Amino acid sequence: MLLVVGVYVVAGNLVNGVGGAGKALAKGSVPAAYQTLVQKWGNLCPAINPALLAAQLYQESGWDPDVVSHADARGIAQFIPGTWAAHGIDGDGDGDRDIWDPNDAIPSAASYDCELAKYVKDVPGDTTNNMLAAYNAGAYRVIKSGGVPAITETQNYVERIRALEESFAAPVGRVDPSRQAAGAIAFAQKKLGTLYLWGGNGTADQGGRFDCSGLTKAAYESVGITLPRVANDQYNAGPHPERSELLPGDLVFFSDDLTNSRAIRHVGIYVGGGYMIDAPRTGAVIRFDPIDTPDYFGATRVTEDGAKALPTTV
C-alpha cells in the first residue's frame, strides 16, 4: 500500500464558537448521562448554548460528579459551598438542592451563567465573553473595566472556554484542515513497524515505543501542538468532521460506547483511503489499519487553539 501525504492549501474559515441557543452538541461529546441536561439547560438564555455549557463543565470537572478541588469547589460544576448557597437551584424538582447531584448542579451552572449575563448586559462587547469573565473575576470587575478585564487568568479563561466550545459543538460548515497535519503524519510514518508498548511515549528508555495516544501526542508535538496524554481528552482538541469529511491528519477514535467520548479507548491518525496509522495493541506494531469498524466513534480536526484550551487535570 502506498499512501502519499500532500500539502493542504485550502481556503475558508473555521466555524466560530459563538453563542447561540440551539447549537447542536457534537456526537458523543457529552456523556450520555448528562447530554439531555446540557442540551436543555444550555438553552436557558441567549448568552449561553449547550456547547458552551459543556465546555465549562468539562473544564471544571472533566465530567466527574465527585471531584473536590483544593479550594473546596465541589461536584461536576465545581461550586464553592458559599456560591452554591446563593445560586444553587433545585434543577430536578425533587425538593432539595444537592451540590453533588448533576441534576441540580448542571442546571445551577446554567442558571448562574444567565444571572451573570444579566449583571453585565450593558457592558460593551460580546455578552458571552463578558459573562465568562464575570464567572472568573466577578461581575464588578467586568463592569468597572468596561469588558473583559486585563487580568491574564480571566482572559485565558474566556479564550479557553470559547475554544473548547468548538469541540463540543457539531460543526455547521466545512472545517479547515490543520496546517500541521502533514507533519504529524510524516512523524507517524517514520514509526511504522515499531513494537507497541502500553504507556509508551517513545522515549529512549522505552526503546522509542508507543501506545496509541502516545503516538498521536508525539506526532502532533513534533509540529508544535501539545495534546493531552490520553485518547478521550485528545477528542476535545478541535472540531469534529463527519466520516465523509475526513482529511489526512485528523485523529480518529474508537469506543465500545458510541454515546460517550469519555469511554474512548483507541486513537489513530487518518491518512486517507479509509486507513489510519495507529499503535493497536500489545504484541502488534505501529501499522496501517482500516477505520471503518463497528467501534468507530468519530474524528477530531486538531487545532492549535483547541489543544491549548484543554485542561491538564481532567
Side-chain angles (χ1 to χ4, degrees):
M1 180 186 303
L2 178 62
L3 294 169
V4 180
V5 180
V7 178
Y8 318 112
V9 182
V10 180
N13 297 315
L14 284 172
V15 175
N16 292 321
V18 296
K23 182 177 284 188
L25 294 168
K27 172 191 171 185
S29 58
V30 172
Y34 310 127
Q35 184 166 350
T36 300
L37 278 169
V38 172
Q39 187 66 48
K40 173 184 175 181
W41 289 91
N43 289 307
L44 184 62
C45 69
I48 65 173
N49 63 69
L52 186 88
L53 180 59
Q56 285 184 286
L57 293 165
Y58 173 69
Q59 171 73 29
E60 294 297 328
S61 68
W63 304 110
D64 183 350
D66 301 315
V67 67
V68 181
S69 79
H70 61 85
D72 198 30
R74 303 176 182 183
I76 197 167
Q78 287 291 277
F79 274 100
I80 293 171
T83 305
W84 179 262
H87 300 284
I89 67 172
D90 178 11
D92 56 4
D94 66 354
D96 71 353
R97 300 182 304 144
D98 185 351
I99 197 172
W100 299 107
D101 184 355
N103 293 293
D104 290 337
I106 291 174
S108 295
S111 175
Y112 186 42
D113 279 346
C114 293
E115 284 185 50
L116 292 172
K118 289 179 182 177
Y119 295 153
V120 300
K121 65 182 176 62
D122 296 324
V123 177
D126 183 274
T127 300
T128 298
N129 287 347
N130 289 337
M131 175 272 292
L132 291 170
Y135 183 95
N136 180 264
Y140 173 75
R141 286 185 176 178
V142 176
I143 295 168
K144 184 178 179 181
S145 301
V148 178
I151 302 170
T152 300
E153 177 189 336
T154 302
Q155 293 174 337
N156 288 343
Y157 178 79
V158 173
E159 290 176 5
R160 281 197 305 271
I161 298 302
R162 296 317 293 263
L164 277 174
E165 181 186 4
E166 276 191 19
S167 175
F168 284 97
V172 294
R174 184 177 56 80
V175 181
D176 282 353
S178 164
R179 292 170 297 173
Q180 291 91 346
I185 294 175
F187 177 94
Q189 285 179 316
K190 293 175 184 177
K191 306 301 177 182
L192 288 168
T194 303
L195 193 64
Y196 176 97
L197 175 67
W198 173 259
N201 294 306
T203 57
D205 62 300
Q206 295 174 328
R209 296 158 65 188
F210 298 91
D211 64 9
C212 65
S213 56
L215 176 64
T216 52
K217 184 179 191 307
Y220 269 96
E221 204 160 65
S222 74
V223 293
I225 295 179
T226 300
L227 296 175
R229 179 58 181 83
V230 296
N232 59 14
D233 285 327
Q234 291 180 4
Y235 181 73
N236 295 106
H240 309 293
E242 296 291 334
R243 169 65 183 87
S244 61
E245 300 170 335
L246 288 183
L247 291 175
D250 291 344
L251 297 184
V252 285
F253 297 88
F254 303 83
S255 176
D256 294 325
D257 181 353
L258 300 183
T259 69
N260 183 4
S261 67
R262 305 308 289 164
I264 286 171
R265 57 168 174 72
H266 188 57
V267 60
I269 302 178
Y270 188 63
V271 293
Y275 281 83
M276 63 180 171
I277 295 177
D278 69 322
R281 62 179 182 275
T282 300
V285 298
I286 295 173
R287 66 193 189 192
F288 295 113
D289 274 319
I291 71 164
D292 291 314
T293 58
D295 58 347
Y296 175 76
F297 181 90
T300 296
R301 188 151 298 156
V302 175
T303 65
E304 291 183 77
D305 287 344
K308 288 177 183 176
L310 295 174
T312 58
T313 57
V314 297

